[in-house]
Amino acid sequence: MIELEQLKQLIAFATYGTLSKAAEELYISQPALSRSIQKLEKTLGVELFDRKKNKMELNGNGKTVIQYAEKILNLVDEMEEKVNKNNQVQNNFSIGSCAPAPLWDMISLFAKFYPEKYILHKIENNLQLFEKLKNDIYQMIILSEPIDNSEFFCIKYKTEQLFLSVPLSHPLAKKKEIHFSDITDDRMLLFNPIGIWKDVVLEKMPNMNFLIQSDRIIYQELAEMQNLLHFRSNFTLEREDNFKNNISIPIADKEAKMTFYCVCKKNIKNEIEKLFDSFSKNF
């Protein structure tokens, strides 16, 4: 069976021209991308590339698949938007966020003040979130920057600070604070998805070999057993203790601190007034 992720990966290859660049943009390893594309070829029963020494190019089959893949993914996006719009009935509340951690307390607050509501949530970039808020796909969004628009209510929510989790035996463990430029290991462990933090990390550490892991249990096991550097934040430190042989050190770069803002249409603000009132008490 063809997987949507495979179609996205094939489109990424067509967009960026090489497996290495496509893998970087998709935030996966090049071998993983290569295996996924080979699996797609096996499923379809045809080759999608002309493979030459140190070079791959889409062949006619590949270009045909790209055309249909774009249509399929556009239809899926259209379907999700339509379903979400239809699903916004009385007991559903849709929230979009530019990062995962701000959602954790937000969902807890809804459970506290509005237990009858079922929360739908998704991580997207700031531009996508605001466009979908305007089109009523989301009822509230969490952005990394405030919105100055008379049609919307905007309130400061929480600030997230990045830390580096370092084994006690590591040379960096002696530091009181760290800059991204201090991190010179040849690889790091990174949990995915991380939303807008991905842009920050890639910009500040363009040459780092990140080992991407989306399974939280496996991620924690790798971090503890292989003594790999990895990121924490004040949000995760509130929920999880450090590994016994690690220390979390704040990252001093200004990019390592991000303030989040809740935004909604003014008519929605009245529906969830208790939630916004709680911000000053809890945060």
Side-chain angles (χ1 to χ4, degrees):
M1 181 180 294
I2 297 173
E3 300 173 6
L4 294 179
E5 194 62 30
Q6 292 173 323
L7 300 182
K8 294 177 184 178
Q9 291 167 353
L10 191 64
I11 289 173
F13 175 86
T15 300
Y16 299 107
T18 66
L19 280 176
S20 58
K21 182 62 177 175
E24 178 182 338
E25 294 297 325
L26 292 167
Y27 228 90
I28 61 176
S29 68
Q30 184 173 329
L33 176 58
S34 181
R35 288 193 298 270
S36 181
I37 287 177
Q38 289 171 1
K39 183 180 177 182
L40 176 60
E41 289 181 307
K42 184 176 180 180
T43 300
L44 292 170
V46 297
E47 292 188 355
L48 303 178
F49 300 89
D50 291 328
R51 291 176 169 86
K52 304 174 183 178
K53 187 177 181 179
N54 298 324
K55 189 175 183 180
M56 286 175 58
E57 293 181 345
L58 287 166
N59 61 22
N61 292 330
K63 292 174 182 178
T64 298
V65 174
I66 288 290
Q67 293 174 356
Y68 281 93
E70 290 173 341
K71 293 177 183 179
I72 290 168
L73 293 175
N74 285 335
L75 282 172
V76 170
D77 287 341
E78 183 181 326
M79 177 191 68
E80 287 182 348
E81 289 198 7
K82 185 69 174 178
V83 168
N84 282 335
K85 209 162 190 176
N86 292 341
N87 205 34
Q88 285 186 3
V89 292
Q90 183 177 359
N91 291 331
N92 287 352
F93 198 91
S94 295
I95 304 174
S97 178
C98 65
L103 283 169
W104 300 341
D105 281 325
M106 184 61 68
I107 292 171
S108 296
L109 286 172
F110 266 92
K112 176 181 179 181
F113 294 114
Y114 309 101
E116 74 283 0
K117 290 191 179 295
Y118 178 76
I119 304 301
L120 306 170
H121 55 86
K122 189 174 181 180
I123 298 171
E124 300 193 83
N125 65 45
N126 284 340
L127 181 61
Q128 292 170 321
L129 291 170
F130 191 54
E131 284 301 312
K132 291 185 178 182
L133 180 68
K134 289 191 290 187
N135 293 325
D136 296 321
I137 304 301
Y138 293 122
Q139 291 162 286
M140 186 176 75
I141 56 175
I142 303 173
L143 303 178
S144 62
E145 55 191 30
I147 291 294
D148 185 12
N149 186 312
S150 60
E151 297 182 14
F152 298 89
F153 172 74
C154 178
I155 185 171
K156 184 177 178 180
Y157 178 35
K158 299 186 77 173
T159 297
E160 187 170 17
Q161 168 69 55
L162 280 191
F163 290 74
L164 186 69
S165 183
V166 181
L168 293 174
S169 58
H170 196 283
L172 291 177
K174 299 177 181 179
K175 288 181 170 287
K176 297 296 184 182
E177 63 180 22
I178 291 174
H179 291 83
F180 285 112
S181 58
D182 295 327
I183 307 171
T184 57
D185 290 43
D186 59 356
R187 60 179 186 164
M188 273 188 68
L189 186 62
L190 192 67
F191 188 75
N192 188 54
I194 54 174
I196 196 171
W197 286 114
K198 171 185 173 182
D199 299 329
V200 173
V201 168
L202 289 181
E203 181 180 347
K204 300 300 293 185
M205 306 177 70
N207 299 317
M208 175 58 70
N209 177 27
F210 287 109
L211 304 178
I212 311 300
Q213 182 54 247
S214 57
D215 186 297
R216 172 62 69 177
I217 295 175
I218 295 176
Y219 172 85
Q220 292 175 334
E221 289 177 351
L222 287 172
E224 187 169 17
M225 295 174 63
Q226 297 193 19
N227 289 327
L228 293 170
L229 298 181
H230 57 282
F231 293 114
R232 305 292 301 274
S233 81
N234 54 316
F235 289 177
T236 59
L237 289 170
E238 289 172 2
R239 290 169 169 259
E240 305 166 355
D241 293 332
N242 272 314
F243 301 127
K244 62 180 180 180
N245 294 320
N246 278 46
I247 183 172
S248 289
I249 305 172
I251 300 176
D253 303 71
K254 64 180 182 180
E255 295 88 350
K257 180 178 286 188
M258 194 176 299
T259 298
F260 299 103
Y261 299 83
C262 291
V263 184
C264 66
K265 289 186 175 180
K266 290 189 173 178
N267 64 308
I268 297 295
K269 172 182 178 291
N270 296 329
E271 296 181 20
I272 52 174
E273 193 74 47
K274 288 187 290 187
L275 181 139
F276 293 132
D277 288 344
S278 73
F279 286 5
S280 59
K281 300 174 184 177
N282 292 294
F283 310 128

